[in-house]
Amino acid sequence: MRGEVQRGELRHDRPDDVPEEVPDEVFDALADPTRRRLLDEISSRGPISATHLAAGFPVTRQAVVKHLSALSTAGLLSSDRHGREVLYAVVPGRLQQATAWLDDVGRRWDDRLAALVEHLSPPPPA
Amino acid sequence: MRGEVQRGELRHDRPDDVPEEVPDEVFDALADPTRRRLLDEISSRGPISATHLAAGFPVTRQAVVKHLSALSTAGLLSSDRHGREVLYAVVPGRLQQATAWLDDVGRRWDDRLAALVEHLSPPPPA
DNA sequence: ATAATCTGCAACTCAGCAGTTGCAGATTGG
DNA sequence: CCAATCTGCAACTGCTGAGTTGCAGATTAT
């Protein structure tokens, strides 16, 4: 037996370009530990420049800038230019999109379990 | 000027091996779109084997197995062997750890904004 | 027993991303 | 004006992770 017939076609009728209604870049941005620490710092210290942030991190300023760009692309940060420096700030509403998906999965699973319990345990004799 | 004095030392006194109190593997597991779709499927269809899942995905069974392993390592899935097949199920409690961090950052930022508004707007003249 | 399934391990390829260095443009301060 | 500072762009390196193929062991069905 060679080659195992794997790689079937999808059963769901989602179009290929809309595989899920989930904020893709958001999770991607949150995946990196350094990016999460940056979000952490900014949320604590308030609007701050890349150079100032980099002073507190073990990586170069350029690396920090790339991470901030990723976070901005995901809509988690906003950047405003003040004079010669650029201050980054948190956009809190965007975080809810991530939690929404997590809650959805969790709730769906809870519903499954609840339905299962309901099905397995008939009402006690009165 | 060559070399820019970047790469400063951390200002926080966190030890290096405990950079953050955040579920690292969880975010790492949630970073991949395929893994999120797998979680999605399992939460909808209930306990299911890797082979069955792979039939609905455009990748090989092995790839699915690797993703399921990552999700299990993160504590998001549990696996039970029934006969010759292994059924994967969602562990919903673990998802709350991820949402907890997101909520923390969001709430902290909201507090900052609230304090700022409080400070900038003195009580109106009576 | 034998064929069909399902799982698991190992080695390999390949693209992407984190991080780096180097330099040039723009802005503030003395 | 000149020096210091902050930002931005581009090219390069290195590693990790997603996905693959190939095969072997275990379990069920005929």
Side-chain angles (χ1 to χ4, degrees), chain B residues 42-65:
Chain B
I42 299 176
S43 76
S44 297
R45 304 170 64 182
I48 186 176
S49 73
T51 302
H52 272 82
L53 275 171
F57 281 72
V59 296
T60 60
R61 171 183 63 90
Q62 319 289 353
V64 170
V65 170

Side-chain angles (χ1 to χ4, degrees), chain B residues 84-104:
Chain B
R84 69 178 159 188
E85 47 182 24
V86 175
L87 302 185
Y88 292 86
V90 175
V91 178
R94 190 75 173 169
L95 290 173
Q96 299 179 350
Q97 291 199 8
T99 58
W101 183 83
L102 293 174
D103 287 345
D104 183 53

Side-chain angles (χ1 to χ4, degrees), chain A residues 20 22 27 98-113, chain B residues 30 35-44 71 76-77 89-93 95 99:
Chain A
E20 39 179 10
V22 176
F27 280 107
T99 59
W101 183 83
L102 292 174
D103 288 345
D104 184 51
V105 171
R107 186 177 37 71
R108 202 182 317 155
W109 188 252
D110 288 341
D111 289 349
R112 272 199 68 86
L113 293 182
Chain B
L30 293 175
R35 281 199 284 268
R36 289 199 301 277
R37 277 198 48 206
L38 282 171
L39 255 189
D40 213 4
E41 285 289 321
I42 299 176
S43 76
S44 297
L71 289 167
L76 292 170
L77 290 183
V90 175
V91 178
L95 290 173
T99 58

Side-chain angles (χ1 to χ4, degrees), chain A residues 20-28 74 94 97-99 101, chain B residues 36:
Chain A
E20 39 179 10
E21 321 88 339
V22 176
D24 233 8
E25 301 124 335
V26 173
F27 280 107
D28 201 64
R94 191 75 172 169
Q97 291 198 10
T99 59
W101 183 83
Chain B
R36 289 199 301 277

Side-chain angles (χ1 to χ4, degrees), chain A residues 1-4 6-7 49-52 61-62 65-66 81 84-86 88:
Chain A
M1 177 193 318
R2 58 168 62 192
E4 315 192 18
Q6 9 199 247
R7 180 179 264 140
S49 74
T51 301
H52 272 82
R61 171 183 62 92
Q62 316 290 353
V65 169
K66 284 189 180 180
R81 180 142 217 161
R84 70 178 156 188
E85 45 181 27
V86 176
Y88 292 86

